[in-house]
Amino acid sequence: MSSIRFEQNLSLKEKPDASKLEFGRTFTDHMFLLDYTEGQGWHDPRIVPYGPFTLDPAAMVFHYGQAIFEGLKAFRTKEGKVMLFRPNKNAQRLNVSNERLSIPALDEDAFVEYVKALVEVEQDWVPSTEGTSLYIRPYIFATEPCLGVRASKQYLFAIILSPVGAYYKEGIHPVKINVESEYVRAVRGGTGFAKTAGNYASSIKAQEEAKEGGYAQVLWLDGKEHKYIEEVGSMNMFFKIGGEVVTPELNGSILAGITRDSVLHLLKTWGVPVSERKISIEEIYTASLEGKLEEAFGTGTAAVISPVGQLHWNEHTMVINDGKIGELAQKIYDTITGIQNGTVPDTFGWNVTIGE
Ligand SMILES: *Cc1c(COP(=O)(O)O)cnc(C)c1O
């Protein structure tokens, strides 16, 4: 990638202690930037010292919220290689989000090359202890100074990197989740399937109220009937009911998680019955009463698998698998994390090695 300009940071930071990392608080020495200007397209790819942006106070992102992002991770294998997990899927999804937010598309191969180039420069920042990784945050926002309501004619694409500690330091603990009956996250025709800042801005209120009630996360129901399961925070949901695994279908209002897709691939390979369909909260409650709700877990890049030990819906409390992690959730977790850190064969060709 000789076309990427490189400006070396002359004052490198001290690498943090991997056992003390908090999610998303420590950043590496460099960042990647790429500009978009109408008429010129995406231009001037560069890796420069990590530091603040200078933006016009009228930059459109501040007013009308044209902003999208991605999230993926780099892992260090026992042999010291650094690998990315399915970055081409993030490239595709970035453009799905771009399209919905009227942001110009980015070449998908170039996206992967940019991520690889930055991670290669910063490879000493990829921690090596069990469960740790380098979190990669690519994002795009509107920079044109203009208060007119329309698509911006200028954007900045940036990638920043953050070393993250083990998500589960003391083993996997299933969480308590509140089924949200008042607020909604997204509606069909809206932006629910895009990874856009606004979806998060509007979800924080419900998340705060859930936290006050002692719950870790909110489980969203559909925006129209308040009846069907959508997703949880930044995770897709799976349930195991009477031996069958079910997950909400991609209906236009939920995010197409890459972890979700990986879990579906694994289940199909293992011959586990699985379907993507509408799942009502009533169905989950009935299954729970009948003793058929065997497992429930969320899937996402940060935790990979997050088992649900307790679901709270209006006046009902459902305890799942005695509040312990299920056998299937554990097997999926071990397999995906094993593929990511190179201890389980990568039969799907999901890993992309840095420097190759
Ligand atoms: C990113 C995200 C997910 C999970 O996607 P992964 O690709 O598996 O990390 C799920 N839901 C929402 C709302 C998200 O933003």
Side-chain angles (χ1 to χ4, degrees):
M1 269 281 137
S2 50
S3 60
I4 302 176
R5 181 160 65 79
F6 178 56
E7 187 188 325
Q8 170 76 46
N9 188 335
L10 298 176
S11 58
L12 300 182
K13 298 172 202 163
E14 188 112 5
K15 305 282 186 302
D17 176 347
S19 66
K20 298 205 179 85
L21 290 168
E22 267 182 83
F23 180 80
R25 281 197 174 271
T26 306
F27 300 96
T28 68
D29 295 310
H30 298 88
M31 60 184 178
F32 174 88
L33 300 177
L34 178 71
D35 296 311
Y36 180 90
T37 313
E38 194 182 60
Q40 206 180 345
W42 290 105
H43 62 93
D44 195 15
R46 56 206 186 272
I47 291 172
V48 296
Y50 184 95
F53 297 132
T54 299
L55 290 170
D56 193 289
M60 290 176 92
V61 66
F62 298 133
H63 308 278
Y64 310 124
Q66 262 185 302
I68 60 102
F69 65 97
E70 271 303 322
L72 69 160
K73 284 174 171 177
F75 302 87
R76 189 178 292 284
T77 69
K78 275 215 256 344
E79 297 75 37
K81 278 201 294 187
V82 174
M83 301 196 304
L84 303 174
F85 186 69
R86 310 188 74 187
N88 55 313
K89 298 291 284 182
N90 297 94
Q92 288 166 7
R93 189 171 63 189
L94 180 94
N95 276 338
V96 169
S97 303
N98 279 341
E99 207 277 330
R100 181 63 185 84
L101 274 287
S102 296
I103 296 171
L106 195 67
D107 182 87
E108 291 172 15
D109 292 334
F111 171 92
V112 175
E113 285 312 313
Y114 298 151
V115 171
K116 286 174 78 174
L118 181 64
V119 172
E120 186 161 11
V121 165
E122 301 290 65
Q123 55 185 295
D124 290 348
W125 281 91
V126 185
S128 55
T129 46
E130 164 123 39
T132 62
S133 58
L134 184 68
Y135 184 78
I136 304 166
R137 169 55 59 87
Y139 56 112
I140 301 176
F141 55 93
T143 53
E144 186 192 355
C146 176
L147 297 182
V149 180
R150 56 159 172 79
S152 175
K153 294 174 181 178
Q154 293 165 23
Y155 299 87
L156 185 65
F157 170 70
I159 309 173
I160 55 174
L161 306 176
S162 175
V164 292
Y167 197 90
Y168 297 109
K169 290 195 184 75
E170 293 129 29
I172 304 183
H173 288 299
V175 293
K176 277 168 76 174
I177 300 256
N178 186 48
V179 180
E180 178 58 55
S181 298
E182 184 191 346
Y183 301 111
V184 299
R185 174 184 172 274
V187 291
R188 205 81 59 84
T191 57
F193 65 94
K195 222 168 164 71
T196 179
N199 290 341
Y200 279 87
S202 62
S203 74
I204 289 170
K205 178 92 178 141
Q207 173 71 25
E208 283 179 345
E209 290 181 13
K211 279 259 157 72
E212 279 164 27
Y215 303 98
Q217 294 269 354
V218 171
L219 189 154
W220 300 103
L221 298 179
D222 74 278
K224 196 172 167 198
E225 295 176 77
H226 290 220
K227 203 170 149 187
Y228 298 101
I229 308 275
E230 295 259 293
E231 57 181 314
V232 168
S234 55
M235 289 189 289
N236 295 108
M237 275 304 298
F238 286 77
F239 299 90
K240 184 161 170 256
I241 304 173
E244 192 203 20
V245 177
V246 294
T247 189
E249 63 197 351
L250 299 179
N251 57 5
S253 54
I254 68 171
L255 210 278
I258 295 164
T259 319
R260 174 187 183 277
D261 183 74
S262 305
V263 170
L264 289 173
H265 271 89
L266 287 177
L267 294 176
K268 285 172 191 164
T269 311
W270 294 340
V272 176
V274 53
S275 63
E276 300 171 64
R277 60 170 171 82
K278 278 187 167 182
I279 306 158
S280 69
I281 184 67
E282 285 279 355
E283 176 185 351
I284 298 298
Y285 182 57
T286 305
S288 162
L289 289 180
E290 292 173 351
K292 290 184 188 154
L293 182 57
E294 296 159 17
E295 296 192 28
F297 54 89
T299 67
T301 295
V304 182
I305 297 291
S306 181
V308 178
Q310 206 177 298
L311 260 186
H312 192 260
W313 175 46
N314 297 333
E315 69 277 19
H316 310 297
T317 298
M318 304 167 234
V319 175
I320 303 158
N321 195 37
D322 291 329
K324 298 192 299 275
I325 180 168
E327 212 174 296
L328 187 65
Q330 184 74 55
K331 184 177 173 186
I332 294 168
Y333 178 81
D334 292 342
T335 307
I336 293 183
T337 55
I339 292 172
Q340 290 171 334
N341 63 35
T343 55
V344 168
D346 176 23
T347 50
F348 299 98
W350 283 340
N351 292 326
V352 170
T353 306
I354 297 298
E356 278 182 10

